[in-house]
Amino acid sequence: MIEMTQLHKTYLMGDTQVHALNGLSLTIGRGELVAIMGSSGSGKSTLLNVIGALDSFDSGSYRFSGKDLHGISQKDAALFRRDHIGFVFQSFHLLPYKTALDNVILPLKYQASVGREERRKKAAAMLCRVGLHDRMNHLPAELSGGQQQRVAIARALVTGAPLLLADEPTGALDSATTEEIMNLLIEINTEGKTVVIVTHEDEIARRTHRIIRMKDGVVA
Amino acid sequence: MNIGIFDSDRWEDIFSHMGKHKIRTFLTAFGVFWGIFLLLLLLGAGSGIENGVFKQFGGVAVNSLHIWGNTTTLPFKGNRPGRWVELTNEDTQAISTLVKGIDIVCPRLRVWWTTTTRYKKKTGSFSMIGTTEDLLEIEPIIIQEGRFINERDIAQERKIAVIGTGVRDILFEKTESPIGSFIDVNGVTFLVAGVFDIESYGGDRRGALETVYLPLSTTQSAFNLPHRIGWYSLLISEGFSAAGVESAVRALFTARHDIDPRDTRAIGSWDSSREYNNLQGLFTGIRLFLWIVGIGTLLAGIVGVSNIMLITVKERTREIGIRKALGATPFSIVSMILQEAFFITSVAGYLGLVAGVFAVEGAASFIRSQPQEISYFSEPEVSISVALAAMGILILSGTLAGLFPALKAAKIHPVIALREE
Ligand SMILES: Nc1ncnc2c1ncn2[C@@H]1O[C@H](COP(=O)(O)OP(=O)(O)O)[C@@H](O)[C@H]1O
Ligand SMILES: [Mg+2]
């Protein structure tokens, strides 16, 4: 599904260049459950953002299911994210003024021809799937951290995107909740999604199929 | 993609966002509301002054020239200065035959001493003016009852009178019709043949209605003013200038009455078209000025909207990052912000438009209800074309107000917007 070779991504910090990705190569197959580990600043988030076309890269090649993603326009990147990627973030990134249900409906609004009623049904079904059938009309502030992350996962899954990218999804949660969220992500993987999780925690990494360790912008 | 402006979810997004920031939304809207409201108020006030000033013409034909004799100020051909220039029927004849570019020559003769008019037990003192049927072409006279002076009255020196409604109200009971009654003016009896009112009149309306019009010939004989004419009102033909006619008539009078050609003060004149044109020019200037001030006010409102939208975009950086991560294209972000700006300016602007029209109409009906006319101000109005122009400016401005913030929003980089602190 993902084939990367000799990927470079350089940031400018004042006068100094930071090689966030420094000739990285990797492949991830369809249906895999992968953990990306590495010390802080090793380029994990950058890698995840490039995989999800949330960020561009400078050189090298990145093919997603055969499609070349080098130098695509902002619009095409947006459409790529819309059709293929579900993001889950450490701090959930829900819209605070929308209910759980409306947050999950949101990505469907950018989908081609999904009717209003259908959106509602899909979003509600997905919230049930993550165990929040009784919290649909709550605002994020009225939910616990674990519940908010479940809403975020429902939002990432609702469009049917084949790839779920989670950047430290349990970084803000206690260990019991971490366990729940991890169980959920594993279930999702068994249902057929490819799942890539950036994490610091060995407990989590150990439950995945494969661990990719990063160091200074390359796979160690 | 569901990015159309008729997408109800999009409106839900906008309303829920505006609902979160009620005060800010209100203040933004108020800026535009106030801008449009003031624009209309200014233009309404401008039209009120304009209408008020033009009303001072009292409905007198604007292509008319009025000319009369004064006293000479220079000696000429053995005549001393201070001689009264006495116009006569012969001057009427001369103007009609010798001066080109005149449609109508209407002579008038006012009895300049005080007269007493009596009907039964009631008396009054009114203006007595001898004239011809042509006066109807010059003055905004409306015949309420009976008729006006006609050619036969003049030819036969009939002793008939056409009285103003002011005269009628003083001499006659409310229930009785003056037509066919005989009134007595300084001992001479006249038959009342008509009652007149006047259309709009900015000047001395009361004085104008306390006037009695008599046939010119009858006036000359009954008041012992043989052949005398007081002044002429001339209606200028299409294609001729009032100024040209004026100098031709002046030259004619100067020659006929032995006036020094340099003695311009010996003949008085008033060219309504010149004044009218001057005022037209003045009001074009005033209107332009009001538009500039009004649009300036509106622009201030729009800059306000734009600024507040910029703040909003900055605050919503994270939200925009989230939307982009979920697949929002730059275009859909632009249209989201534009739509909100456009909605606020349109609704607020429309309300301002309605409020402005109501305020101007309210002022107009208040002025109409006043028994006393306010000089130099009447009938403020906002025309359809002005309202449409304001609406056009509004739509344009709403778009402009949103454009800059919207483009800014589209440029937000999702990775930077979503970075964990
Ligand atoms: N927008 C940016 N501008 C400058 N440097 C950046 C930016 N984003 C990331 N970096 C740098 O790139 C390197 C990799 O960052 P990141 O991918 O966030 O690492 P990780 O997620 O593994 O902690 C770090 O040294 C970081 O400082
Ligand atoms: Mg990171």
Side-chain angles (χ1 to χ4, degrees), chain B residues 54 57 272-282:
Chain B
F54 282 117
F57 279 85
S272 68
S273 70
R274 189 188 313 153
E275 222 141 300
Y276 187 80
N277 289 338
N278 284 346
L279 284 173
Q280 284 283 12
L282 176 69

Side-chain angles (χ1 to χ4, degrees), chain A residues 11-13 18 20 39-46, chain B residues 419:
Chain A
Y11 289 112
L12 265 183
M13 284 266 277
V18 180
S39 56
S40 182
S42 59
K44 306 181 297 292
S45 294
T46 305
Chain B
R419 198 181 295 157

Side-chain angles (χ1 to χ4, degrees), chain A residues 9-14 16-21 36-49 55 167-168 198 200 214 217, chain B residues 413 415-416 419:
Chain A
K9 170 81 184 174
T10 307
Y11 289 112
L12 265 183
M13 284 266 277
T16 54
Q17 292 188 332
V18 180
H19 300 283
L21 298 180
I36 297 175
M37 295 192 79
S39 56
S40 182
S42 59
K44 306 181 297 292
S45 294
T46 305
L47 172 60
L48 211 67
N49 291 337
D55 211 344
D167 194 348
E168 304 194 33
V198 168
H200 282 303
M214 284 189 70
Chain B
H413 196 297
V415 171
I416 293 167
R419 198 181 295 157

Side-chain angles (χ1 to χ4, degrees), chain B residues 193-385:
Chain B
V195 178
F196 72 90
D197 194 1
I198 36 185
E199 220 175 312
S200 72
Y201 207 83
D204 177 15
R205 181 181 168 86
R206 197 170 138 217
L209 288 173
E210 291 185 7
T211 293
V212 176
Y213 284 115
L214 310 170
L216 179 66
S217 53
T218 317
T219 312
Q220 289 168 337
S221 58
F223 295 94
N224 194 25
L225 295 163
H227 311 298
R228 287 286 297 277
I229 301 294
W231 76 102
Y232 292 100
S233 295
L234 311 175
L235 211 56
I236 311 301
S237 311
E238 281 280 322
F240 286 83
S241 83
V245 171
E246 183 183 343
S247 59
V249 175
R250 278 177 170 277
L252 185 73
F253 287 178
T254 302
R256 286 178 49 77
H257 294 274
D258 292 332
I259 302 166
D260 187 323
R262 292 166 301 170
D263 190 0
T264 53
R265 274 189 285 167
I267 296 160
S269 64
W270 182 66
D271 172 358
S272 68
S273 70
R274 189 188 313 153
E275 222 141 300
Y276 187 80
N277 289 338
N278 284 346
L279 284 173
Q280 284 283 12
L282 176 69
F283 278 109
T284 305
I286 290 178
R287 238 177 285 140
L288 189 71
F289 173 75
L290 291 180
W291 271 101
I292 289 170
V293 171
I295 288 176
T297 314
L298 190 58
L299 273 181
I302 289 156
V303 168
V305 176
S306 201
N307 262 326
I308 290 176
M309 295 299 297
L310 268 181
I311 296 171
T312 305
V313 164
K314 205 167 169 107
E315 273 189 7
R316 293 172 85 181
T317 299
R318 171 155 299 190
E319 171 181 341
I320 289 163
I322 293 169
R323 286 176 182 271
K324 285 190 161 182
L326 299 179
T329 56
F331 175 78
S332 73
I333 298 290
V334 166
S335 74
M336 175 179 81
I337 304 292
L338 270 190
Q339 206 170 319
E340 184 171 328
F342 189 75
F343 178 76
I344 293 176
T345 41
S346 301
V347 169
Y350 182 72
L351 290 179
L353 200 70
V354 170
V357 168
F358 265 98
V360 170
E361 283 300 314
S365 75
F366 173 77
I367 288 166
R368 247 177 267 129
S369 72
Q370 294 302 294
Q372 210 75 38
E373 292 209 7
I374 303 167
S375 49
Y376 299 110
F377 198 91
S378 87
E379 298 289 315
E381 60 194 356
V382 177
S383 65
I384 296 282
S385 62

Side-chain angles (χ1 to χ4, degrees), chain A residues 91-102:
Chain A
S91 54
F92 326 131
H93 286 327
L94 301 175
L95 296 192
Y97 62 89
K98 283 183 180 288
T99 62
L101 185 65
D102 284 334

